[in-house]
Amino acid sequence: VAQESRAGRRPPRQKPGVKKQQIRETAIDYFGRFGYEETKWADVAAAVGIGSTALYHYYESKRHCLFEIMVDAVEAFRARFEQTVADHDDWTEALVTFLVQGFKLTDQEVMRLHVLVAEYARIATSSSAAQREEAARTALRAATRDLEWAWGTFLARGMESGVIPETDTRLLTRALLGLYNSVWQWYRPGSTSSLDQVGDFFVRRQLSMLGLSPELAERYATPV
Amino acid sequence: VAQESRAGRRPPRQKPGVKKQQIRETAIDYFGRFGYEETKWADVAAAVGIGSTALYHYYESKRHCLFEIMVDAVEAFRARFEQTVADHDDWTEALVTFLVQGFKLTDQEVMRLHVLVAEYARIATSSSAAQREEAARTALRAATRDLEWAWGTFLARGMESGVIPETDTRLLTRALLGLYNSVWQWYRPGSTSSLDQVGDFFVRRQLSMLGLSPELAERYATPV
């Protein structure tokens, strides 16, 4: 990371990975609490104690940082999905485990998902000259497409083996992801309902939507 | 509308309601196709053939127009809901009719819903001095809250009368609205699947989520 620093610019004093992570976490906190548009990029720099020139080593722009946060969110979801499928031979067990784990999240992960769904429409906006921003945007599009593809393939397997009723795979994928993503539009750490309550409720709805018994949620739920 | 024109400014030549409607429809088209951020407010003015001074008679800002478009979308949904409930004595019939009608939309209504869900996060952003924009934003918050309340009350009635299983009303309302709204994130007029296909699929999923038979969709579906 941050290898593209231009000649003549002073390199950052700290280990680049650590500082970049720190900026990203602060940005998630600011974007999540105050909104992306309301956040001044200079305030993020000040909060992590660096000037705007040094900040540029890590992120070309506020939007570049936003896109990388979104890529992280999508890729974390995808990695968890791949891992769960690899860990469980039984299709239903893999499914339920994955759905349940979708709500076992840290406050930081919840905020990251909130930023993802609240600001996703910005994927459509471009600033012509920004190369690294453009690369992050392309990565976000690719990660989203890959995720939908992975989910769709998994659901198709469930249909082929007769565990869930045959239906339009693409629409089913979008319905499941759409319902899941909708939670992060309104849920915040510290909301009236706990994340466990919300998760229990939504996993049951996802199972119903798949044509499965909502009771499966309890059968396969792993204690945390 | 547009009564607040300042003294000394030339009043619009056309009937204010007609011109305002024309601006709003053009804005929906531009925001929906190119994105809100990408749309230049001056281009909307040019497309309807007025200058930016005249445009100000109708809308204080691009965001003021956006908020009014969103209020329209929420209020149209709400009005349709009230009407359907008034027209049907039977709870299940009212429910299914309302869900089915949720996908009987013109291209313009689809685009308006797309603008609503894609740009909803902007409700969090304010520009201090803009009075009419602020009023529209307050109206949007109120309309959203009223809509959730109306849906919640209706669902509670279904639970009390034993038609659907007892559960958390607030979470069920959010799940139903969340799934419905998710469609407008990706569906566009002219998508691969027709709106009828998408509607048929999602109404069945909404019924399953409610603990009802998806087959009800056919029993109460009104031919269009």
Side-chain angles (χ1 to χ4, degrees), chain A residues 37-38 63 118 121-122 125-126 167 170-172 174-175 178-179 182 186 193 201-202 205 208-209, chain B residues 37-38 63 118 121-122 125-126 167 170-172 174-175 178-179 182 186 193 201-202 205 208-209:
Chain A
E37 216 167 312
E38 298 286 70
R63 199 184 285 149
R122 284 179 211 278
T125 67
S126 63
T167 187
R170 199 179 57 98
L171 290 181
L172 190 58
R174 297 204 158 163
L179 182 60
S182 77
W186 56 267
S193 315
F201 187 93
F202 277 84
R205 264 65 206 177
S208 304
M209 237 168 46
Chain B
E37 218 166 312
E38 298 287 68
R63 201 185 283 149
R122 283 177 211 278
T125 67
S126 62
T167 188
R170 200 179 56 99
L171 291 181
L172 190 57
R174 296 203 160 165
L179 182 60
S182 76
W186 56 267
S193 316
F201 186 93
F202 276 83
R205 265 63 206 177
S208 304
M209 238 170 42

mmCIF file of all heavy atoms in Angstrom, chain A residues 37-38 63 118 121-122 125-126 167 170-172 174-175 178-179 182 186 193 201-202 205 208-209, chain B residues 37-38 63 118 121-122 125-126 167 170-172 174-175 178-179 182 186 193 201-202 205 208-209:
data_model
loop_
_atom_site.group_PDB
_atom_site.id
_atom_site.type_symbol
_atom_site.label_atom_id
_atom_site.label_comp_id
_atom_site.label_asym_id
_atom_site.label_seq_id
_atom_site.Cartn_x
_atom_site.Cartn_y
_atom_site.Cartn_z
ATOM 1 N N GLU A 37 -21.339 12.869 3.373
ATOM 2 C CA GLU A 37 -21.346 14.226 2.820
ATOM 3 C C GLU A 37 -20.976 15.264 3.885
ATOM 4 O O GLU A 37 -20.293 16.247 3.589
ATOM 5 C CB GLU A 37 -22.738 14.515 2.245
ATOM 6 C CG GLU A 37 -22.732 15.347 0.990
ATOM 7 C CD GLU A 37 -24.088 15.324 0.302
ATOM 8 O OE1 GLU A 37 -24.646 14.219 0.122
ATOM 9 O OE2 GLU A 37 -24.587 16.413 -0.032
ATOM 10 N N GLU A 38 -21.439 15.039 5.116
ATOM 11 C CA GLU A 38 -21.197 15.970 6.221
ATOM 12 C C GLU A 38 -19.765 15.916 6.735
ATOM 13 O O GLU A 38 -19.324 16.833 7.429
ATOM 14 C CB GLU A 38 -22.132 15.634 7.399
ATOM 15 C CG GLU A 38 -23.604 15.750 7.112
ATOM 16 C CD GLU A 38 -24.098 17.185 7.014
ATOM 17 O OE1 GLU A 38 -23.733 17.848 6.030
ATOM 18 O OE2 GLU A 38 -24.837 17.618 7.897
ATOM 19 N N ARG A 63 -13.576 10.175 -1.312
ATOM 20 C CA ARG A 63 -14.331 9.139 -2.019
ATOM 21 C C ARG A 63 -13.491 7.882 -2.249
ATOM 22 O O ARG A 63 -14.015 6.763 -2.233
ATOM 23 C CB ARG A 63 -14.877 9.682 -3.340
ATOM 24 C CG ARG A 63 -16.017 8.836 -3.867
ATOM 25 C CD ARG A 63 -16.488 9.308 -5.209
ATOM 26 N NE ARG A 63 -17.272 10.508 -5.112
ATOM 27 C CZ ARG A 63 -17.322 11.444 -6.056
ATOM 28 N NH1 ARG A 63 -16.626 11.307 -7.163
ATOM 29 N NH2 ARG A 63 -18.064 12.510 -5.900
ATOM 30 N N ALA A 118 -25.694 2.847 2.842
ATOM 31 C CA ALA A 118 -26.168 4.234 2.779
ATOM 32 C C ALA A 118 -25.547 4.978 1.604
ATOM 33 O O ALA A 118 -26.183 5.837 1.003
ATOM 34 C CB ALA A 118 -25.869 4.961 4.090
ATOM 35 N N ALA A 121 -24.977 4.321 -3.660
ATOM 36 C CA ALA A 121 -25.353 5.025 -4.892
ATOM 37 C C ALA A 121 -24.184 5.848 -5.448
ATOM 38 O O ALA A 121 -24.154 6.159 -6.637
ATOM 39 C CB ALA A 121 -26.555 5.931 -4.646
ATOM 40 N N ARG A 122 -23.232 6.200 -4.599
ATOM 41 C CA ARG A 122 -22.078 6.997 -5.040
ATOM 42 C C ARG A 122 -21.151 6.238 -5.988
ATOM 43 O O ARG A 122 -20.272 6.837 -6.605
ATOM 44 C CB ARG A 122 -21.272 7.486 -3.843
ATOM 45 C CG ARG A 122 -21.952 8.631 -3.166
ATOM 46 C CD ARG A 122 -21.210 9.118 -1.968
ATOM 47 N NE ARG A 122 -22.165 9.628 -1.008
ATOM 48 C CZ ARG A 122 -22.686 10.843 -1.057
ATOM 49 N NH1 ARG A 122 -22.313 11.658 -2.001
ATOM 50 N NH2 ARG A 122 -23.560 11.234 -0.176
ATOM 51 N N THR A 125 -20.941 7.832 -9.292
ATOM 52 C CA THR A 125 -20.313 9.125 -9.550
ATOM 53 C C THR A 125 -18.794 8.992 -9.704
ATOM 54 O O THR A 125 -18.152 8.249 -8.989
ATOM 55 C CB THR A 125 -20.587 10.111 -8.399
ATOM 56 O OG1 THR A 125 -19.925 9.642 -7.228
ATOM 57 C CG2 THR A 125 -22.065 10.229 -8.125
ATOM 58 N N SER A 126 -18.278 9.729 -10.638
ATOM 59 C CA SER A 126 -16.847 9.624 -10.915
ATOM 60 C C SER A 126 -16.197 11.000 -10.881
ATOM 61 O O SER A 126 -16.838 12.010 -11.121
ATOM 62 C CB SER A 126 -16.640 9.026 -12.298
ATOM 63 O OG SER A 126 -17.187 9.895 -13.268
ATOM 64 N N THR A 167 -36.557 -21.914 -8.289
ATOM 65 C CA THR A 167 -37.076 -20.591 -8.631
ATOM 66 C C THR A 167 -35.970 -19.795 -9.328
ATOM 67 O O THR A 167 -34.878 -20.309 -9.558
ATOM 68 C CB THR A 167 -37.591 -19.850 -7.376
ATOM 69 O OG1 THR A 167 -38.229 -18.642 -7.774
ATOM 70 C CG2 THR A 167 -36.460 -19.533 -6.401
ATOM 71 N N ARG A 170 -31.357 -15.593 -9.679
ATOM 72 C CA ARG A 170 -30.901 -14.206 -9.611
ATOM 73 C C ARG A 170 -31.823 -13.374 -8.713
ATOM 74 O O ARG A 170 -31.361 -12.615 -7.860
ATOM 75 C CB ARG A 170 -30.877 -13.603 -11.022
ATOM 76 C CG ARG A 170 -30.019 -12.369 -11.182
ATOM 77 C CD ARG A 170 -30.062 -11.894 -12.633
ATOM 78 N NE ARG A 170 -31.428 -11.634 -13.055
ATOM 79 C CZ ARG A 170 -31.984 -10.408 -13.074
ATOM 80 N NH1 ARG A 170 -31.290 -9.357 -12.731
ATOM 81 N NH2 ARG A 170 -33.235 -10.241 -13.442
ATOM 82 N N LEU A 171 -33.130 -13.560 -8.905
ATOM 83 C CA LEU A 171 -34.074 -12.803 -8.085
ATOM 84 C C LEU A 171 -33.996 -13.236 -6.620
ATOM 85 O O LEU A 171 -34.079 -12.406 -5.717
ATOM 86 C CB LEU A 171 -35.512 -12.965 -8.616
ATOM 87 C CG LEU A 171 -35.826 -12.296 -9.962
ATOM 88 C CD1 LEU A 171 -37.290 -12.513 -10.342
ATOM 89 C CD2 LEU A 171 -35.521 -10.802 -9.927
ATOM 90 N N LEU A 172 -33.794 -14.530 -6.386
ATOM 91 C CA LEU A 172 -33.702 -15.021 -5.010
ATOM 92 C C LEU A 172 -32.448 -14.456 -4.317
ATOM 93 O O LEU A 172 -32.504 -14.043 -3.159
ATOM 94 C CB LEU A 172 -33.694 -16.555 -4.985
ATOM 95 C CG LEU A 172 -33.840 -17.198 -3.605
ATOM 96 C CD1 LEU A 172 -35.125 -16.754 -2.902
ATOM 97 C CD2 LEU A 172 -33.811 -18.728 -3.704
ATOM 98 N N ARG A 174 -30.982 -11.641 -5.029
ATOM 99 C CA ARG A 174 -31.216 -10.222 -4.771
ATOM 100 C C ARG A 174 -32.178 -10.005 -3.610
ATOM 101 O O ARG A 174 -32.025 -9.048 -2.842
ATOM 102 C CB ARG A 174 -31.747 -9.546 -6.029
ATOM 103 C CG ARG A 174 -30.696 -9.630 -7.114
ATOM 104 C CD ARG A 174 -30.828 -8.567 -8.149
ATOM 105 N NE ARG A 174 -29.536 -8.412 -8.808
ATOM 106 C CZ ARG A 174 -29.366 -7.808 -9.965
ATOM 107 N NH1 ARG A 174 -30.391 -7.272 -10.583
ATOM 108 N NH2 ARG A 174 -28.168 -7.712 -10.488
ATOM 109 N N ALA A 175 -33.169 -10.884 -3.495
ATOM 110 C CA ALA A 175 -34.125 -10.760 -2.385
ATOM 111 C C ALA A 175 -33.418 -10.999 -1.049
ATOM 112 O O ALA A 175 -33.596 -10.236 -0.091
ATOM 113 C CB ALA A 175 -35.278 -11.742 -2.565
ATOM 114 N N GLY A 178 -30.962 -8.161 -0.487
ATOM 115 C CA GLY A 178 -31.731 -6.927 -0.281
ATOM 116 C C GLY A 178 -32.300 -6.851 1.125
ATOM 117 O O GLY A 178 -32.214 -5.813 1.787
ATOM 118 N N LEU A 179 -32.858 -7.959 1.593
ATOM 119 C CA LEU A 179 -33.414 -7.984 2.949
ATOM 120 C C LEU A 179 -32.306 -7.798 3.982
ATOM 121 O O LEU A 179 -32.444 -7.020 4.930
ATOM 122 C CB LEU A 179 -34.159 -9.301 3.190
ATOM 123 C CG LEU A 179 -34.834 -9.434 4.553
ATOM 124 C CD1 LEU A 179 -35.875 -8.343 4.784
ATOM 125 C CD2 LEU A 179 -35.484 -10.809 4.709
ATOM 126 N N SER A 182 -30.940 -4.240 4.011
ATOM 127 C CA SER A 182 -31.900 -3.249 4.520
ATOM 128 C C SER A 182 -31.731 -3.035 6.026
ATOM 129 O O SER A 182 -32.000 -1.945 6.529
ATOM 130 C CB SER A 182 -33.337 -3.660 4.192
ATOM 131 O OG SER A 182 -33.787 -4.688 5.064
ATOM 132 N N TRP A 186 -31.022 1.053 8.958
ATOM 133 C CA TRP A 186 -31.603 1.634 10.187
ATOM 134 C C TRP A 186 -30.962 1.136 11.468
ATOM 135 O O TRP A 186 -30.987 1.843 12.476
ATOM 136 C CB TRP A 186 -33.126 1.398 10.224
ATOM 137 C CG TRP A 186 -33.512 -0.056 10.114
ATOM 138 C CD1 TRP A 186 -33.819 -0.726 8.956
ATOM 139 C CD2 TRP A 186 -33.624 -1.008 11.178
ATOM 140 N NE1 TRP A 186 -34.106 -2.042 9.239
ATOM 141 C CE2 TRP A 186 -34.001 -2.237 10.597
ATOM 142 C CE3 TRP A 186 -33.445 -0.939 12.565
ATOM 143 C CZ2 TRP A 186 -34.195 -3.395 11.344
ATOM 144 C CZ3 TRP A 186 -33.639 -2.088 13.314
ATOM 145 C CH2 TRP A 186 -34.023 -3.302 12.712
ATOM 146 N N SER A 193 -33.504 -2.570 19.866
ATOM 147 C CA SER A 193 -33.366 -4.025 19.780
ATOM 148 C C SER A 193 -31.876 -4.371 19.739
ATOM 149 O O SER A 193 -31.093 -3.663 19.119
ATOM 150 C CB SER A 193 -34.022 -4.555 18.506
ATOM 151 O OG SER A 193 -35.283 -3.959 18.305
ATOM 152 N N PHE A 201 -34.608 -12.480 14.293
ATOM 153 C CA PHE A 201 -35.795 -12.141 13.510
ATOM 154 C C PHE A 201 -35.531 -12.255 12.003
ATOM 155 O O PHE A 201 -36.287 -12.894 11.270
ATOM 156 C CB PHE A 201 -36.259 -10.719 13.853
ATOM 157 C CG PHE A 201 -37.563 -10.340 13.211
ATOM 158 C CD1 PHE A 201 -38.761 -10.525 13.884
ATOM 159 C CD2 PHE A 201 -37.600 -9.831 11.926
ATOM 160 C CE1 PHE A 201 -39.966 -10.205 13.289
ATOM 161 C CE2 PHE A 201 -38.807 -9.502 11.316
ATOM 162 C CZ PHE A 201 -39.984 -9.693 12.010
ATOM 163 N N PHE A 202 -34.443 -11.646 11.556
ATOM 164 C CA PHE A 202 -34.185 -11.596 10.116
ATOM 165 C C PHE A 202 -33.722 -12.937 9.545
ATOM 166 O O PHE A 202 -34.046 -13.259 8.386
ATOM 167 C CB PHE A 202 -33.228 -10.447 9.763
ATOM 168 C CG PHE A 202 -33.948 -9.138 9.629
ATOM 169 C CD1 PHE A 202 -34.231 -8.366 10.749
ATOM 170 C CD2 PHE A 202 -34.405 -8.698 8.398
ATOM 171 C CE1 PHE A 202 -34.941 -7.170 10.634
ATOM 172 C CE2 PHE A 202 -35.115 -7.508 8.269
ATOM 173 C CZ PHE A 202 -35.382 -6.741 9.393
ATOM 174 N N ARG A 205 -36.807 -14.780 8.796
ATOM 175 C CA ARG A 205 -37.470 -14.256 7.584
ATOM 176 C C ARG A 205 -36.744 -14.689 6.321
ATOM 177 O O ARG A 205 -37.364 -14.951 5.299
ATOM 178 C CB ARG A 205 -37.544 -12.729 7.658
ATOM 179 C CG ARG A 205 -38.860 -12.216 8.179
ATOM 180 C CD ARG A 205 -39.089 -12.616 9.582
ATOM 181 N NE ARG A 205 -40.480 -12.716 9.989
ATOM 182 C CZ ARG A 205 -40.846 -13.129 11.197
ATOM 183 N NH1 ARG A 205 -39.968 -13.512 12.091
ATOM 184 N NH2 ARG A 205 -42.118 -13.207 11.504
ATOM 185 N N SER A 208 -37.757 -18.287 5.743
ATOM 186 C CA SER A 208 -39.126 -18.355 5.200
ATOM 187 C C SER A 208 -39.128 -18.001 3.717
ATOM 188 O O SER A 208 -39.798 -18.639 2.909
ATOM 189 C CB SER A 208 -40.054 -17.369 5.919
ATOM 190 O OG SER A 208 -40.052 -17.597 7.296
ATOM 191 N N MET A 209 -38.364 -16.977 3.383
ATOM 192 C CA MET A 209 -38.298 -16.527 2.002
ATOM 193 C C MET A 209 -37.737 -17.606 1.089
ATOM 194 O O MET A 209 -38.078 -17.674 -0.094
ATOM 195 C CB MET A 209 -37.411 -15.290 1.923
ATOM 196 C CG MET A 209 -38.121 -14.123 1.329
ATOM 197 S SD MET A 209 -37.234 -12.561 1.535
ATOM 198 C CE MET A 209 -35.578 -12.968 1.097
ATOM 199 N N GLU B 37 -25.778 13.202 -7.797
ATOM 200 C CA GLU B 37 -24.526 13.962 -7.687
ATOM 201 C C GLU B 37 -24.025 14.402 -9.067
ATOM 202 O O GLU B 37 -23.478 15.489 -9.209
ATOM 203 C CB GLU B 37 -23.480 13.080 -6.999
ATOM 204 C CG GLU B 37 -22.572 13.817 -6.041
ATOM 205 C CD GLU B 37 -21.799 12.871 -5.133
ATOM 206 O OE1 GLU B 37 -22.431 11.960 -4.552
ATOM 207 O OE2 GLU B 37 -20.572 13.029 -5.033
ATOM 208 N N GLU B 38 -24.208 13.542 -10.058
ATOM 209 C CA GLU B 38 -23.734 13.819 -11.416
ATOM 210 C C GLU B 38 -24.582 14.858 -12.141
ATOM 211 O O GLU B 38 -24.128 15.427 -13.130
ATOM 212 C CB GLU B 38 -23.764 12.523 -12.255
ATOM 213 C CG GLU B 38 -22.884 11.402 -11.762
ATOM 214 C CD GLU B 38 -21.402 11.651 -12.010
ATOM 215 O OE1 GLU B 38 -20.861 12.576 -11.368
ATOM 216 O OE2 GLU B 38 -20.807 10.930 -12.810
ATOM 217 N N ARG B 63 -31.129 20.002 -3.954
ATOM 218 C CA ARG B 63 -31.506 19.113 -2.856
ATOM 219 C C ARG B 63 -32.942 19.336 -2.415
ATOM 220 O O ARG B 63 -33.638 18.393 -2.013
ATOM 221 C CB ARG B 63 -30.541 19.301 -1.679
ATOM 222 C CG ARG B 63 -30.554 18.096 -0.763
ATOM 223 C CD ARG B 63 -29.701 18.321 0.459
ATOM 224 N NE ARG B 63 -28.300 18.173 0.151
ATOM 225 C CZ ARG B 63 -27.329 18.833 0.775
ATOM 226 N NH1 ARG B 63 -27.606 19.693 1.729
ATOM 227 N NH2 ARG B 63 -26.078 18.630 0.446
ATOM 228 N N ALA B 118 -32.035 5.272 -3.529
ATOM 229 C CA ALA B 118 -30.608 5.495 -3.796
ATOM 230 C C ALA B 118 -30.075 6.704 -3.027
ATOM 231 O O ALA B 118 -28.925 6.705 -2.601
ATOM 232 C CB ALA B 118 -30.374 5.672 -5.295
ATOM 233 N N ALA B 121 -30.000 8.479 2.004
ATOM 234 C CA ALA B 121 -28.994 8.840 3.014
ATOM 235 C C ALA B 121 -28.780 10.352 3.079
ATOM 236 O O ALA B 121 -28.332 10.868 4.099
ATOM 237 C CB ALA B 121 -27.672 8.134 2.729
ATOM 238 N N ARG B 122 -29.098 11.060 2.010
ATOM 239 C CA ARG B 122 -28.928 12.511 1.977
ATOM 240 C C ARG B 122 -29.865 13.238 2.921
ATOM 241 O O ARG B 122 -29.697 14.434 3.174
ATOM 242 C CB ARG B 122 -29.133 13.040 0.562
ATOM 243 C CG ARG B 122 -27.921 12.770 -0.272
ATOM 244 C CD ARG B 122 -28.129 13.224 -1.699
ATOM 245 N NE ARG B 122 -27.368 12.355 -2.563
ATOM 246 C CZ ARG B 122 -26.076 12.497 -2.793
ATOM 247 N NH1 ARG B 122 -25.415 13.479 -2.233
ATOM 248 N NH2 ARG B 122 -25.440 11.655 -3.578
ATOM 249 N N THR B 125 -28.065 15.111 5.531
ATOM 250 C CA THR B 125 -27.236 16.285 5.264
ATOM 251 C C THR B 125 -28.072 17.553 5.186
ATOM 252 O O THR B 125 -29.151 17.560 4.616
ATOM 253 C CB THR B 125 -26.469 16.131 3.938
ATOM 254 O OG1 THR B 125 -27.404 16.139 2.877
ATOM 255 C CG2 THR B 125 -25.674 14.849 3.920
ATOM 256 N N SER B 126 -27.557 18.608 5.744
ATOM 257 C CA SER B 126 -28.308 19.864 5.779
ATOM 258 C C SER B 126 -27.455 20.998 5.228
ATOM 259 O O SER B 126 -26.242 20.965 5.278
ATOM 260 C CB SER B 126 -28.681 20.185 7.218
ATOM 261 O OG SER B 126 -27.492 20.356 7.975
ATOM 262 N N THR B 167 -45.671 -11.443 16.197
ATOM 263 C CA THR B 167 -44.221 -11.206 16.207
ATOM 264 C C THR B 167 -43.966 -9.727 16.436
ATOM 265 O O THR B 167 -44.911 -8.954 16.617
ATOM 266 C CB THR B 167 -43.557 -11.700 14.895
ATOM 267 O OG1 THR B 167 -42.149 -11.607 15.033
ATOM 268 C CG2 THR B 167 -44.017 -10.888 13.695
ATOM 269 N N ARG B 170 -42.635 -3.862 14.694
ATOM 270 C CA ARG B 170 -41.706 -2.888 14.140
ATOM 271 C C ARG B 170 -40.689 -3.566 13.213
ATOM 272 O O ARG B 170 -40.422 -3.105 12.108
ATOM 273 C CB ARG B 170 -40.968 -2.173 15.273
ATOM 274 C CG ARG B 170 -40.342 -0.849 14.907
ATOM 275 C CD ARG B 170 -39.664 -0.228 16.135
ATOM 276 N NE ARG B 170 -38.684 -1.156 16.699
ATOM 277 C CZ ARG B 170 -37.362 -1.092 16.462
ATOM 278 N NH1 ARG B 170 -36.876 -0.153 15.700
ATOM 279 N NH2 ARG B 170 -36.546 -1.964 17.015
ATOM 280 N N LEU B 171 -40.169 -4.709 13.683
ATOM 281 C CA LEU B 171 -39.198 -5.433 12.851
ATOM 282 C C LEU B 171 -39.867 -5.986 11.593
ATOM 283 O O LEU B 171 -39.272 -5.964 10.512
ATOM 284 C CB LEU B 171 -38.529 -6.558 13.651
ATOM 285 C CG LEU B 171 -37.573 -6.131 14.773
ATOM 286 C CD1 LEU B 171 -36.965 -7.350 15.456
ATOM 287 C CD2 LEU B 171 -36.458 -5.227 14.237
ATOM 288 N N LEU B 172 -41.114 -6.461 11.730
ATOM 289 C CA LEU B 172 -41.816 -6.999 10.556
ATOM 290 C C LEU B 172 -42.078 -5.895 9.530
ATOM 291 O O LEU B 172 -41.894 -6.096 8.322
ATOM 292 C CB LEU B 172 -43.128 -7.665 10.989
ATOM 293 C CG LEU B 172 -43.852 -8.481 9.921
ATOM 294 C CD1 LEU B 172 -42.967 -9.580 9.336
ATOM 295 C CD2 LEU B 172 -45.147 -9.096 10.473
ATOM 296 N N ARG B 174 -40.299 -3.208 9.094
ATOM 297 C CA ARG B 174 -39.020 -2.864 8.466
ATOM 298 C C ARG B 174 -38.554 -3.922 7.482
ATOM 299 O O ARG B 174 -37.966 -3.606 6.448
ATOM 300 C CB ARG B 174 -37.962 -2.636 9.545
ATOM 301 C CG ARG B 174 -38.371 -1.445 10.385
ATOM 302 C CD ARG B 174 -37.231 -0.799 11.089
ATOM 303 N NE ARG B 174 -37.646 0.550 11.452
ATOM 304 C CZ ARG B 174 -37.017 1.313 12.329
ATOM 305 N NH1 ARG B 174 -35.922 0.872 12.919
ATOM 306 N NH2 ARG B 174 -37.453 2.522 12.598
ATOM 307 N N ALA B 175 -38.827 -5.193 7.811
ATOM 308 C CA ALA B 175 -38.444 -6.283 6.903
ATOM 309 C C ALA B 175 -39.230 -6.178 5.593
ATOM 310 O O ALA B 175 -38.660 -6.282 4.504
ATOM 311 C CB ALA B 175 -38.677 -7.635 7.568
ATOM 312 N N GLY B 178 -38.147 -3.027 3.797
ATOM 313 C CA GLY B 178 -36.761 -3.201 3.374
ATOM 314 C C GLY B 178 -36.657 -4.068 2.130
ATOM 315 O O GLY B 178 -35.929 -3.741 1.186
ATOM 316 N N LEU B 179 -37.413 -5.168 2.113
ATOM 317 C CA LEU B 179 -37.385 -6.055 0.945
ATOM 318 C C LEU B 179 -37.964 -5.343 -0.277
ATOM 319 O O LEU B 179 -37.386 -5.392 -1.369
ATOM 320 C CB LEU B 179 -38.175 -7.341 1.240
ATOM 321 C CG LEU B 179 -38.196 -8.374 0.126
ATOM 322 C CD1 LEU B 179 -36.792 -8.856 -0.226
ATOM 323 C CD2 LEU B 179 -39.077 -9.566 0.501
ATOM 324 N N SER B 182 -35.631 -2.625 -1.593
ATOM 325 C CA SER B 182 -34.397 -3.155 -2.193
ATOM 326 C C SER B 182 -34.552 -3.366 -3.706
ATOM 327 O O SER B 182 -33.586 -3.270 -4.450
ATOM 328 C CB SER B 182 -33.980 -4.460 -1.512
ATOM 329 O OG SER B 182 -34.784 -5.549 -1.933
ATOM 330 N N TRP B 186 -31.963 -1.854 -7.793
ATOM 331 C CA TRP B 186 -31.395 -2.458 -9.012
ATOM 332 C C TRP B 186 -32.365 -2.520 -10.193
ATOM 333 O O TRP B 186 -31.934 -2.537 -11.335
ATOM 334 C CB TRP B 186 -30.849 -3.869 -8.718
ATOM 335 C CG TRP B 186 -31.866 -4.800 -8.125
ATOM 336 C CD1 TRP B 186 -32.079 -5.021 -6.786
ATOM 337 C CD2 TRP B 186 -32.816 -5.620 -8.821
ATOM 338 N NE1 TRP B 186 -33.096 -5.925 -6.619
ATOM 339 C CE2 TRP B 186 -33.563 -6.313 -7.845
ATOM 340 C CE3 TRP B 186 -33.096 -5.846 -10.177
ATOM 341 C CZ2 TRP B 186 -34.589 -7.207 -8.169
ATOM 342 C CZ3 TRP B 186 -34.118 -6.733 -10.503
ATOM 343 C CH2 TRP B 186 -34.845 -7.403 -9.503
ATOM 344 N N SER B 193 -35.740 -8.797 -16.526
ATOM 345 C CA SER B 193 -37.022 -9.293 -16.035
ATOM 346 C C SER B 193 -38.054 -8.173 -16.148
ATOM 347 O O SER B 193 -37.734 -7.010 -15.916
ATOM 348 C CB SER B 193 -36.919 -9.710 -14.562
ATOM 349 O OG SER B 193 -35.749 -10.453 -14.323
ATOM 350 N N PHE B 201 -42.609 -12.403 -8.136
ATOM 351 C CA PHE B 201 -41.592 -13.043 -7.296
ATOM 352 C C PHE B 201 -41.551 -12.421 -5.896
ATOM 353 O O PHE B 201 -41.572 -13.120 -4.888
ATOM 354 C CB PHE B 201 -40.214 -12.923 -7.962
ATOM 355 C CG PHE B 201 -39.131 -13.668 -7.236
ATOM 356 C CD1 PHE B 201 -38.810 -14.974 -7.595
ATOM 357 C CD2 PHE B 201 -38.446 -13.087 -6.181
ATOM 358 C CE1 PHE B 201 -37.829 -15.673 -6.911
ATOM 359 C CE2 PHE B 201 -37.463 -13.783 -5.493
ATOM 360 C CZ PHE B 201 -37.160 -15.070 -5.863
ATOM 361 N N PHE B 202 -41.502 -11.100 -5.850
ATOM 362 C CA PHE B 202 -41.326 -10.427 -4.553
ATOM 363 C C PHE B 202 -42.590 -10.453 -3.695
ATOM 364 O O PHE B 202 -42.501 -10.510 -2.468
ATOM 365 C CB PHE B 202 -40.779 -9.005 -4.747
ATOM 366 C CG PHE B 202 -39.284 -8.997 -4.889
ATOM 367 C CD1 PHE B 202 -38.680 -9.249 -6.112
ATOM 368 C CD2 PHE B 202 -38.452 -8.807 -3.782
ATOM 369 C CE1 PHE B 202 -37.294 -9.294 -6.247
ATOM 370 C CE2 PHE B 202 -37.063 -8.843 -3.899
ATOM 371 C CZ PHE B 202 -36.477 -9.087 -5.131
ATOM 372 N N ARG B 205 -42.507 -13.647 -1.900
ATOM 373 C CA ARG B 205 -41.506 -13.622 -0.811
ATOM 374 C C ARG B 205 -42.012 -12.818 0.378
ATOM 375 O O ARG B 205 -41.733 -13.144 1.528
ATOM 376 C CB ARG B 205 -40.176 -13.042 -1.305
ATOM 377 C CG ARG B 205 -39.186 -14.103 -1.738
ATOM 378 C CD ARG B 205 -39.689 -14.872 -2.899
ATOM 379 N NE ARG B 205 -39.145 -16.211 -3.000
ATOM 380 C CZ ARG B 205 -39.513 -17.064 -3.935
ATOM 381 N NH1 ARG B 205 -40.430 -16.739 -4.825
ATOM 382 N NH2 ARG B 205 -38.996 -18.272 -3.972
ATOM 383 N N SER B 208 -44.468 -15.082 2.177
ATOM 384 C CA SER B 208 -43.753 -16.104 2.943
ATOM 385 C C SER B 208 -43.188 -15.505 4.230
ATOM 386 O O SER B 208 -43.250 -16.120 5.294
ATOM 387 C CB SER B 208 -42.580 -16.680 2.136
ATOM 388 O OG SER B 208 -43.019 -17.178 0.908
ATOM 389 N N MET B 209 -42.624 -14.315 4.106
ATOM 390 C CA MET B 209 -42.031 -13.650 5.259
ATOM 391 C C MET B 209 -43.071 -13.371 6.333
ATOM 392 O O MET B 209 -42.763 -13.348 7.520
ATOM 393 C CB MET B 209 -41.407 -12.331 4.802
ATOM 394 C CG MET B 209 -39.958 -12.258 5.108
ATOM 395 S SD MET B 209 -39.115 -10.851 4.335
ATOM 396 C CE MET B 209 -40.228 -9.507 4.531
#
